[in-house]
Structures are given as structure tokens and as C-alpha cells.
Amino acid sequence: MWISYAQNFEDVMLARAFADLAEGVYVDVGAWDPDLESVTRHFYERGWRGVNIEPNPYYFRRLQEQRPRDVNLSVAVGARASQATMTLVHDTGMSSLDANVAASHAPLGFEQEEMQVEVRTLNSIFEEQAPSTVHFLKIDCEGSERDVILEFDLRRIRPWIILVESVAPGVARTESHSSWEPHILRSDYVFAYFDGLNRFYVAREHADLQQHFAVPPNVFDDFYVDRMMQMGLALEAKRKKAAKKDRAAWWRTPFVARRG
């Protein structure tokens, strides 16, 4: 049996489709943490490699530490190359280029911070960093999916499977795929599965993979979820982050000599 690390068992569906592929390649747009709710950790453990795209400096450093075999990029992805303001929503995967999305997260109480980030197109990242064969592409960029997808040349660049978070950020479950799904379908991809959060698409030349999306994750997938392990990872990451923040604050504190 193996551990599913993903938020909504996305890795289970992908592992089923790629069960016979010992070494493969992924591209993860909005990678967030290398361990927590990670769609790619299971595949990294299997010996796969990939490109992780994460503009939040803290999580980018974690990717650098935990994924030395991967290419890790501290950039955002958008419709064109530029500089943009991103709102970091600390301790979450909800950081966004969309100010309205960030504002919608404010009532949740997480600390927010604005920073300037480099924005690149997905075409340029694939051309420079990805090999000719990419087995799956995951896109989760908190409201910027349309900008990422509409400028992506899927006639020329052909991931075997694409999965996109297709529910708008926020508490209410509002599906958000109508603005970008037609581009994927026109590019000769077939809709395969909706898991309540993500929509999965299969390239027509790999249509045989559709069979693996006929049913949701189940006992025959031979996986389990170790919630205590996940909680431990989360607490350890939070502890390390707090310790680093404390060290930085100590160095900024002026030294005052005192007489005894």
C-alpha cells in the first residue's frame, strides 16, 4: 500500500493512469508545499522528476530543500511576461495575483503580505525547462487559471493529462471552468473526470488513459491516508518557520550594553 498526499486524491487517479510508468515527468503550476496536500510527492518518491512553479518565497525554499531532483522556479504564471503584485496568504496555498481573491480570504484570519513577483508564460517555461514529454500538468493558481491556460499553446505542447482546479477560491463551491475549458477542448483534449475540485483532461492521442477515470478512488487503488503523518509534517514546517522568524527578529534587535 502507498500513501496519498494530495488534497483530494488527485495522486490516486494519476497513479492509476500511470501505474506502469516507472519514471515520468510532471509540471506543477502552483506547487505550494513539497509535502502537504501535494499532487506530486508520491511521484517524486517513485523516481519521477518535474518542474515546480511556486512564487511564495517560503514554499519555494522548501521545494528547493525537499526536491533537489526537480527544477523549482520562484515565479508566477500568467498571460504575458511581466512584473505583478501578488498577495501572499501566509501558511496557506491561497496566495494570489488576483486582489479580489486575496480580499475574499481576509475573513479567514491568515496574515497577508504583498510582494512583487516575476510573471512568465507557461509556453516559455515549457520551452526552457520541460522535456518534450510531460506526463501530467497540474494547474492551481488561485483565480489566475484563465490567464495561464488561454495563452498556453496546447497544439504544440502536449501533456498527456491536464488537471486544473476548477472551483473558484472561497467557501462556496462555484465552478469556474467555463472561461478556460473551451480552449482545452478545442486543442484536442477530452474531458475525463471531475472530482468535485479539479477537472481532468486527456490528450486525444492518449485516449486509452480515459479508462482509468471511470470510477472515483476506491479500495482497489490500494492506498491509504495518514492524517497523523500529515499533521506532523504541517506542525514541523510551522515550527521551522517560526524558529527562522524568531532568529531574524533577534538579529534585528539593537544591542544595548548594560552595567550590572
Side-chain angles (χ1 to χ4, degrees), residues 6-11 13-14 29 37 39 137-141 145 162-168 173 175-177 180-181 191-201 213:
Q7 179 182 22
N8 205 37
F9 307 126
E10 298 93 332
D11 52 358
M13 303 303 293
L14 293 165
V29 180
E37 299 184 351
V39 173
L137 163 65
K138 180 219 118 185
I139 300 174
D140 174 9
C141 41
E145 288 80 8
I162 300 172
L163 62 149
V164 187
E165 184 168 299
S166 56
V167 175
R173 203 200 84 170
E175 294 186 34
S176 58
H177 60 283
W180 47 258
E181 182 179 66
F191 170 70
Y193 181 66
F194 176 54
D195 65 7
L197 180 65
N198 307 276
R199 293 175 76 82
F200 291 71
Y201 305 87
F213 295 91

Side-chain angles (χ1 to χ4, degrees), residues 2 28 73 89 126 135 137 157 169-170 183 211 229 238 241:
W2 59 279
D28 191 345
L73 302 176
V89 184
F126 267 75
H135 295 95
L137 163 65
I157 304 170
H183 174 70
Q211 64 181 307
M229 178 274 296
K238 193 169 185 178
K241 185 177 182 181

